[in-house]
Amino acid sequence: MSDSENDNSDESGTSDERVPLHERRRPWWHWQRLTGSRPRLAVTTGVIGVLAGALLGGAGVAWQAEAGPFADDRACWGAFSRDDAAALFEGKVGGKADVKSSEVPITGDRTGAEGSSGQCLLTSDGSRITVQAHQLDTRFGGAGDQWADEFLSARLTPLGGGLLGMASDTRAWLAVPDGCIGRPRDADVTGGPTVIDLATGWTIYDDEVNTEARDRLARAVVRLVNHYMTEKGCTGTIADPIGRMPEPPRFLDEKKDAMCGVKGLPLPRGYGRDSLGRTLVTRGAGPVRTCDRRVLFHHPELRLMTVEDPRLAMLYARLSRDGAKEPIKAGEHDGYGFVRDDMGMFQAECQTGPVTFLIRADSGRSRAEIRTLLPRFVAAEADRVGCGPLHITLPAEG
């Protein structure tokens, strides 16, 4: 915001005395129309059509009367002009795409406890873009969580500049800064951030990320958040993120002693180069570092993830304490965690706030591999993020 978290809104009202030190010091952080083979395109279009139909059917009468051609030439709560929307679909300013818009207005619940929420659907010639505003739910964590699967994927890169957000050629998201106003209550420093995200279709994970499409989505999500803050009475704005974003991720040629590019983390026995598909790892410093293998319908068969930003790590706080009967042990007050057949997790209390280390498998038959990997993964990643030395002890096999 003008790259500052504390813009001049009077709605913030957060006093330093009630906010933990790490919260005060922490910086705030295309779809590509699918053009593969005809069978791939047919499957993709069919799946998207079913999902969009369910979305519209479930929304019922909540969709606004201006559904159809833009009311007053603006869409998505007034954030996009006709040209803005056409550029998203055609990849250039001044496009002639016939775009229709339907939306649920952004509102909050009466108590303010659930944060703001709203939805917008843009359609043009069979293509769709879905935009959501919502507060991330801390009650579910990351176990099978669809939002984390899609929006914390290794395919996305951080927006940079201290922004809590990421973008790829099919997905983008950005958290509303706390100061104006990203969490619904002044003292709600343990709640999930309010984010605006947009999804443009099905991702083909074997393809390289289209940088031009990614940049369009990054600019679009910044425009959405700036408009949201203006509607809240905020005076600051978030600057254009293009130019400071890292290069898109590329598929990794792993070494035997550096699984997912983590030095000191050897590949488990039998994990050959092709045994779990191609490996993709997040590029650049940002809120999360994710390593994904063999992704199908946005769900990775194996994921290793370090959630560095405390506001995102909050999504896993409850799960880290309640995920299993036998907790992981570490030094006193170092954190909480568990290991089970499909997942291993540890959330450490670091100087910057909570940091989550997670290994998740799509199969419940990976307990031995998770037990082998987790202690070394936690130790190596803790050193990388400045939270080490951190050594965990797993509960004995029962």
Side-chain angles (χ1 to χ4, degrees), residues 57-276:
V61 296
W63 290 93
Q64 293 296 283
E66 62 264 23
F70 293 178
D72 301 325
D73 289 334
R74 309 295 298 184
C76 292
W77 317 295
F80 293 147
S81 68
R82 285 182 181 274
D83 285 346
D84 295 332
L88 282 174
F89 283 94
E90 296 188 349
K92 63 181 183 297
V93 176
K96 303 299 182 182
D98 180 19
V99 182
K100 294 181 174 62
S101 170
S102 300
E103 60 192 55
V104 176
I106 299 178
T107 58
D109 71 317
R110 293 180 179 179
T111 65
E114 296 295 331
S116 298
S117 63
Q119 248 178 348
C120 173
L121 179 67
L122 300 174
T123 61
S124 179
D125 193 26
S127 297
R128 295 171 174 87
I129 301 174
T130 304
V131 183
Q132 292 191 92
H134 55 123
Q135 185 183 17
L136 298 182
D137 191 351
T138 62
R139 293 172 296 180
F140 188 67
D145 179 14
Q146 182 180 357
W147 190 88
D149 277 349
E150 297 185 23
F151 290 95
L152 299 184
S153 159
R155 193 176 175 87
L156 283 80
T157 51
L159 295 182
L163 296 174
L164 178 54
M166 307 177 78
S168 73
D169 51 2
T170 62
R171 300 286 186 277
W173 65 275
L174 176 59
V176 179
D178 282 355
C180 203
I181 54 176
R183 283 184 267 202
R185 296 191 298 266
D186 293 343
D188 188 14
V189 295
T190 60
T194 295
V195 304
I196 297 181
D197 56 54
L198 64 162
T200 63
W202 211 256
T203 305
I204 302 173
Y205 278 82
D206 285 340
D207 291 351
E208 297 288 342
V209 174
N210 182 313
T211 305
E212 292 183 359
R214 182 201 69 172
D215 292 351
R216 283 196 295 275
L217 292 192
R219 286 193 170 108
V221 77
V222 167
R223 181 187 295 272
L224 286 160
V225 171
N226 278 335
H227 181 80
Y228 174 91
M229 293 193 298
T230 298
E231 293 293 300
K232 290 288 185 179
C234 307
T235 57
T237 58
I238 299 170
D240 188 333
I242 308 307
R244 63 188 179 216
M245 293 179 66
E247 289 295 315
R250 291 191 179 143
F251 294 100
L252 188 67
D253 187 10
E254 288 177 305
K255 299 180 180 179
K256 291 183 178 180
D257 62 345
M259 183 179 186
C260 291
V262 179
K263 294 181 180 179
L265 187 67
L267 284 167
R269 182 177 300 176
Y271 277 38
R273 178 177 298 178
D274 300 322
S275 64
L276 283 176

Side-chain angles (χ1 to χ4, degrees), residues 22-23 307-311 313-314 317 347-350 352-356:
H22 72 266
E23 287 288 342
V307 185
E308 302 178 39
D309 187 270
R311 295 175 65 193
M314 289 298 181
Q347 185 162 101
E349 293 298 329
C350 302
T352 56
V355 175
T356 302

Side-chain angles (χ1 to χ4, degrees), residues 339-357:
V339 64
R340 63 191 193 201
D341 292 350
D342 63 337
M343 182 183 296
M345 176 189 294
F346 189 78
Q347 185 162 101
E349 293 298 329
C350 302
Q351 292 179 342
T352 56
V355 175
T356 302
F357 307 94

